[in-house]
Amino acid sequence: MYGVLKLIGFGSFMYLLDSAGDFRRKNPRFGGGAHTWDVLGTWDGWWYQQIALHGYHPALVPVPGATGLITLQGNSAAFFPLYPALMRPAMEITGLGPFGAGLLVSVVASFAAALGVHAVAARFGGHRAGLAAAGLWAVWPGSGVEWAVYSDSLYVALAAWALYAVLSRRWLTAGVLVFAAGLNRPTAAALIAALALAALLALRRREDGVARPLTAMLVAPLGLLGYLGWVGHRMGDYGGYFRLQSQAWGHEFDFGRQTLDVLTSVAVGHFDYLFALPFADVIGVGVVLLDLALLPLLFRLRPPAVLVVHTVLTLALVLGSQQYFANVSRYLLPAFPLFVPLAVALRRVSLPCLCVVLGLAALASGSYAGYALFELGVP
């Protein structure tokens, strides 16, 4: 189901790219290229390919004479290492270039993520709910990056199976998966906190002994802290990663000021806020409102604390940050437990009807989840 839905959405995305043709006039680094599929390796994808080929060059280099928002030159240290590290052996084994290797890793990881989303949702509503959740993962806003040279599919795969491991009380597996997730995305902080709380609750209840939950809790943050520490050491500033994000990319935690600015501006048709990209931002606002509406429905199912903490903190980290608001739809993909209430409701629908509903969503996703992200926004 997941593969068929993604093929529908992918084909729709490629058709829209070809029919519009705007990508042919854009810089190959920024949503352009000679072929439609070249777009999948632009923006962040270009950086991941450079890391896979040349490694990292952490530095805090001032932009001469800069006094505004951007005062440092951007470099590869802003991008976490696990995804490009997997691209390298894929290149060596298959003979593919960095673009093909990155796509291969992403596609394989996307199927692993679909299975993980299915496994988590099936605990609440059985196999049919799991199928619906996997289908929603294929068509959700932001899903255009699942089959692109981006790290999102890999992160969601790690997060889904880590959460499932905690639900199954496989503590050591969960600890290793969260460790790996911390080498892939900074929002793994939400996953680390969720595992820590679940481990503390297990220790309090003395359900699984002491050694396994405690080991998982200690191992989980080492990937994230290790990478941040290494970057800081190379830069000569242990807060260097955050300085780079803020002063080179304009990304920082602002306690939701920009999110509130976007929500109130878009509501009245104004697009005079920071990093405004009207079409993509309207979709982003819709995603935020949809996710906030689904949150109480998730609570109504009384899920385990690990799912609640992971979902709420992911929302808080994303919505509390200053960034290109057009990115919100893909940054919120790890909050997939929000799919669960919809998946549980959809299990009552017959399989043919479910396939028609999700198939139509997949066809539309070529626009709202693919084209809007790569060509009308900045993914």
Side-chain angles (χ1 to χ4, degrees):
M1 174 180 278
Y2 174 77
V4 169
L5 291 172
K6 284 305 298 181
L7 284 172
I8 294 171
F10 187 80
S12 173
F13 180 22
M14 293 297 104
Y15 172 78
L16 291 173
L17 283 169
D18 185 63
S19 61
D22 295 340
F23 74 96
R24 297 185 181 93
R25 297 184 290 274
K26 293 187 175 183
N27 189 306
R29 278 187 58 182
F30 306 115
H35 308 94
T36 53
W37 53 84
D38 292 336
V39 171
L40 304 173
T42 59
W43 301 107
D44 288 5
W46 181 87
W47 283 102
Y48 284 121
Q49 292 177 72
Q50 297 307 303
I51 296 168
L53 289 171
H54 308 298
Y56 282 98
H57 303 282
L60 295 172
V61 180
V63 176
T67 58
L69 180 66
I70 306 301
T71 58
L72 295 175
Q73 294 180 14
N75 65 68
S76 56
F79 301 88
F80 275 52
L82 182 62
Y83 178 64
L86 292 177
M87 289 170 62
R88 283 193 176 186
M91 291 165 60
E92 294 173 0
I93 293 169
T94 64
L96 293 169
F99 175 81
L103 273 182
L104 177 63
V105 172
S106 292
V107 170
V108 171
S110 74
F111 280 90
L115 288 169
V117 170
H118 173 280
V120 172
R123 293 183 69 92
F124 292 87
H127 175 62
R128 182 64 64 82
L131 278 179
L136 290 170
W137 157 244
V139 304
W140 205 255
S143 59
V145 296
E146 292 171 13
W147 285 10
V149 187
Y150 273 65
S151 64
D152 299 76
S153 288
L154 180 59
Y155 179 72
V156 174
L158 293 168
W161 285 109
L163 293 172
Y164 183 77
V166 173
L167 295 175
S168 306
R169 295 159 69 175
R170 296 181 175 94
W171 292 104
L172 298 181
T173 300
V176 171
L177 290 171
V178 176
F179 169 87
L183 291 170
N184 195 53
R185 293 294 291 273
T187 46
L191 201 56
I192 292 166
L195 183 143
L197 177 62
L200 289 172
L201 290 174
L203 290 170
R204 180 182 176 185
R205 297 167 185 160
R206 303 195 178 189
E207 295 174 334
D208 302 300
V210 173
R212 291 187 299 128
L214 184 60
T215 300
M217 187 168 57
L218 294 176
V219 167
L222 296 181
L224 176 61
L225 296 178
Y227 180 68
L228 295 178
W230 177 79
V231 168
H233 177 72
R234 289 284 302 273
M235 289 178 172
D237 177 353
Y238 281 98
Y241 175 83
F242 300 102
R243 280 191 60 196
L244 182 70
Q245 284 282 27
S246 174
Q247 298 175 37
W249 305 96
H251 293 183
E252 62 182 359
F253 193 78
D254 68 350
F255 298 94
R257 285 192 297 272
Q258 193 205 10
T259 297
L260 180 62
D261 190 16
V262 174
L263 292 176
T264 54
S265 297
V266 170
V268 294
H270 292 177
F271 299 95
D272 53 357
Y273 47 84
L274 187 65
F275 305 138
L277 296 161
F279 189 88
D281 290 345
V282 169
I283 293 174
V285 168
V287 172
V288 169
L289 296 178
L290 175 61
D291 283 1
L292 293 178
L294 289 173
L295 193 60
L297 298 180
L298 176 64
F299 293 159
R300 188 170 177 268
L301 294 177
R302 297 186 179 182
V306 66
L307 293 183
V308 173
V309 173
H310 166 71
T311 304
V312 170
L313 287 184
T314 297
L315 285 167
L317 288 172
V318 174
L319 301 184
S321 298
Q322 173 185 285
Q323 59 202 336
Y324 280 98
F325 197 79
N327 283 345
V328 162
S329 61
R330 78 174 180 94
Y331 288 157
L332 288 176
L333 283 173
F336 69 88
L338 293 170
F339 301 172
V340 172
L342 286 179
V344 170
L346 287 171
R347 68 180 173 174
R348 301 183 182 92
V349 177
S350 67
L351 189 58
C353 184
L354 177 64
C355 290
V356 170
V357 170
L358 291 176
L360 289 172
L363 191 64
S365 73
S367 174
Y368 69 75
Y371 194 88
L373 201 60
F374 281 88
E375 292 296 293
L376 303 178
V378 178

